[in-house]
Amino acid sequence: MDPSSLNDLHQASRLNDPDASRSVAEPVISISGLDKVYAGGFHALKAVDLSIRRGEIFALLGPNGAGKTTLISVVCGLVNPSGGEVRVDGFDNVRDYRQARALIGLVPQELTNEAFETVWNTVSFSRGLFGKSPDPAHIERVLKSLALWDKRNNRLITLSGGMKRRVLIAKALSHEPRILFLDEPTAGVDVELRRDMWDVVRQLRDSGVTIILTTHYIEEAEEMADRIGVINGGQIVLVEEKAALMRKLGSKQLTLHLHAPLAEVPVALADYDLQLAADGSELIYTYDGTRDGDEGSSITALLGDLDAAGIAFKDLHTRQSSLEDIFVDLVKERT
Amino acid sequence: MNLFPVRAIYAAEMARTRRTLLQSIVSPVISTSLYFVVFGAAIGSRISEIEGVSYGAFIVPGLIMLMLLTQSVSNASFGIFFPKFSGSIYELLSAPISHVEIVIGYVGAAATKSIVLGLIILATAGFFVPLEIAHPLWMLTFLVLTAVTFSLLGFIIGIWADGFDKLQLVPLLVITPLTFLGGSFYSIDMLPPIWQTLTLFNPVLYLVSGFRWSFYGISDVSLMASVTMILVFLALCLAVIAWMFRTGYRLKP
Ligand SMILES: Nc1ncnc2c1ncn2[C@@H]1O[C@H](COP(=O)(O)OP(=O)(O)O)[C@@H](O)[C@H]1O
Ligand SMILES: [Mg+2]
């Protein structure tokens, strides 16, 4: 893949971007009181309020069935809302649907199969559908950035699943959106392609495109996002800067495997947050892993005090609480 | 109105026709030729003339109507059903385009195909029977109005259908029987009185009658009745489509 070419092309479109003068602080998407009750009576979104900042990568994280796809679908106009309001760059997504939708590119969760179209035609079609004049040079750059250029004359039916997903991304980028929705973009995508895909996403972000991705993989949100929103049972449980979220909930643990088991934590070490585990053969030290400067010194101090207390260990390892832990905690709290 | 989306949909639909040229054009032409051989030559030799027109020539407008109706419905219904079926409809629904633009793109393409097909069948008929067209402008008007109206009907069916079986159902169970019973191959004068009365409730009769009038100046019902009927049907289809889009019927949950 060649993400740099994509960057160039979005840099170009940014220069004459009429929205550039709008306040950066003003959210690019603001959702308020959004409700969705499906025809069967299922309450899929419950009074969702959410603001997406201009130019960020926002990860919407939640288990299967949480309402991620429903939320995206309402914003993009695929599902009728039951209540509430969505504004895209100030435009109401129902009343001013033309202006609102023109800004948005959507990569759906499910692969679609227009089997007999060629890659080039299907991507060019998308551009036309979004009301843009033909621009073969742009389509070429998009296809090259997604490593699809060699396949441009292939019919979709001849492509692998990973390539098909890239075609869907190319279709979404064909009309130069300012906001890109990626619904579970890496589901069923191999590791290498996933990495390449993230490169492209970061390049897009660097060129000023706002990106909203959904995932139920915590690592993905952790790796990619600037901010993370957690959704569960149709409700937004929390929205945080990723770094702040990690700081707030992200303690670290140092586990020491002792030579000789201890019956209890020695009084000399009472100042440290220590616990015994595995019948006293493991000593677990919990500390704030995000105060970077202190981390090393507090561990050094602990190790010194252990030595002084005559406690020897044969091995040690650290572990950071992942979003997975945080998420499990949050969901547990709710239920 | 933005023309790029309309053009994109129209072009993609026409490209689909080119990919399935055999199915779209060749097979209707072959089956029409077979009708001529069977009805025109075999049966026509026993039915000499209807109101001064040879039987072979008499059935030409009915045959074109039969093809026009079935092809309009099947082209337009498939055109919108397929994106629903394949999932690519998400793109149509998320695009900054109006319902009118979507309909013009899909129905315009389907109607174009039917009109071209109708003209090809007309030309084919010219090989079998001597043709005369008394009112060419009316002939084209009927051709276009019918193609558009039944493409709209097809569009409705395509949105309504949730499986391939339903997609086939309406053309098979409704359109074809109504066309056969609507005077395509006979004048309703040839029927017993009770059947004549019943046939007057068949909308296709009005189409065939008006269309045949544009060829030979003979009709089962008045020209005004034919034109009114088709316009009423057109308005009805437009109303249903408007309702479908407004409510998101089978398009948006
Ligand atoms: N068209 C629909 N009709 C009824 N229920 C639906 C429909 N689509 C989704 N749901 C339900 O809404 C809930 C949320 O679904 P979805 O938004 O797809 O979740 P996610 O994308 O987070 O996995 C699920 O329980 C799902 O079964
Ligand atoms: Mg989903």
Side-chain angles (χ1 to χ4, degrees), chain A residues 77-144:
Chain A
L78 306 183
V79 167
N80 287 324
S82 310
E85 192 187 62
V86 178
R87 291 189 165 271
V88 182
D89 209 6
F91 297 110
D92 186 283
N93 82 326
V94 177
R95 215 173 35 247
D96 314 315
Y97 68 93
R98 274 190 201 266
Q99 292 94 325
R101 291 185 196 169
L103 296 167
I104 297 177
L106 167 64
V107 182
Q109 178 174 0
E110 302 291 338
L111 287 178
T112 62
N113 46 0
E114 288 165 295
F116 303 108
E117 277 293 353
T118 64
V119 171
W120 178 271
N121 286 347
T122 194
V123 175
S124 303
F125 170 78
S126 299
R127 185 176 171 86
L129 196 61
F130 275 70
K132 293 266 176 128
S133 59
D135 184 350
H138 176 76
I139 305 289
E140 180 176 339
R141 283 188 297 259
V142 168
L143 291 183
K144 282 183 173 162

Side-chain angles (χ1 to χ4, degrees), chain A residues 77 80 98 101 113 126 128 171, chain B residues 5 86 91 93 95 101 252-253:
Chain A
N80 287 324
R98 274 190 201 266
R101 291 185 196 169
N113 46 0
S126 299
K171 280 164 80 73
Chain B
S86 73
E91 201 175 18
L93 297 175
E101 287 161 357
K252 292 187 190 187

Side-chain angles (χ1 to χ4, degrees), chain A residues 57-289:
Chain A
I57 299 183
F58 185 90
L60 191 60
L61 178 67
N64 276 324
K68 304 181 294 293
T69 300
T70 302
L71 182 57
I72 286 188
S73 300
V74 173
V75 175
C76 295
L78 306 183
V79 167
N80 287 324
S82 310
E85 192 187 62
V86 178
R87 291 189 165 271
V88 182
D89 209 6
F91 297 110
D92 186 283
N93 82 326
V94 177
R95 215 173 35 247
D96 314 315
Y97 68 93
R98 274 190 201 266
Q99 292 94 325
R101 291 185 196 169
L103 296 167
I104 297 177
L106 167 64
V107 182
Q109 178 174 0
E110 302 291 338
L111 287 178
T112 62
N113 46 0
E114 288 165 295
F116 303 108
E117 277 293 353
T118 64
V119 171
W120 178 271
N121 286 347
T122 194
V123 175
S124 303
F125 170 78
S126 299
R127 185 176 171 86
L129 196 61
F130 275 70
K132 293 266 176 128
S133 59
D135 184 350
H138 176 76
I139 305 289
E140 180 176 339
R141 283 188 297 259
V142 168
L143 291 183
K144 282 183 173 162
S145 77
L146 290 160
L148 286 168
W149 182 243
D150 294 343
K151 302 283 179 190
R152 64 190 179 281
N153 294 321
N154 284 41
R155 290 179 168 200
L156 297 184
I157 198 170
T158 64
L159 302 182
S160 69
M163 286 181 201
K164 280 186 188 142
R165 193 165 292 280
R166 273 181 282 157
V167 171
L168 293 183
I169 298 176
K171 280 164 80 73
L173 295 179
S174 69
H175 52 88
E176 301 159 72
R178 305 303 302 154
I179 302 164
L180 182 68
F181 282 96
L182 295 158
D183 198 357
E184 312 242 356
T186 54
V189 166
D190 62 55
V191 178
E192 196 175 334
L193 176 57
R194 191 176 296 197
R195 206 176 307 128
D196 290 348
M197 203 146 81
W198 291 147
D199 285 343
V200 172
V201 167
R202 287 197 185 95
Q203 294 291 339
L204 282 168
R205 195 264 312 267
D206 292 346
S207 71
V209 176
T210 306
I211 289 147
I212 297 109
L213 60 94
T214 75
T215 179
H216 57 267
Y217 297 118
I218 278 133
E219 313 82 63
E220 222 161 77
E222 202 168 349
E223 187 188 336
M224 289 301 300
D226 300 316
R227 285 199 309 152
I228 294 172
V230 178
I231 184 171
N232 188 48
Q235 287 173 303
I236 300 283
V237 183
L238 140 161
V239 177
E240 277 282 8
E241 296 282 344
K242 182 181 66 184
L245 184 65
M246 298 308 297
R247 195 152 51 232
K248 197 187 257 177
L249 297 154
S251 55
K252 277 188 176 178
Q253 289 185 329
L254 173 72
T255 304
L256 298 159
H257 300 265
L258 305 178
H259 264 303
L262 290 174
E264 56 185 18
V265 177
V267 192
L269 301 173
D271 286 347
Y272 300 94
D273 181 0
L274 291 172
Q275 276 176 312
L276 283 170
D279 291 331
S281 64
E282 284 179 13
L283 190 61
I284 298 170
Y285 171 44
T286 306
Y287 60 101
D288 183 349

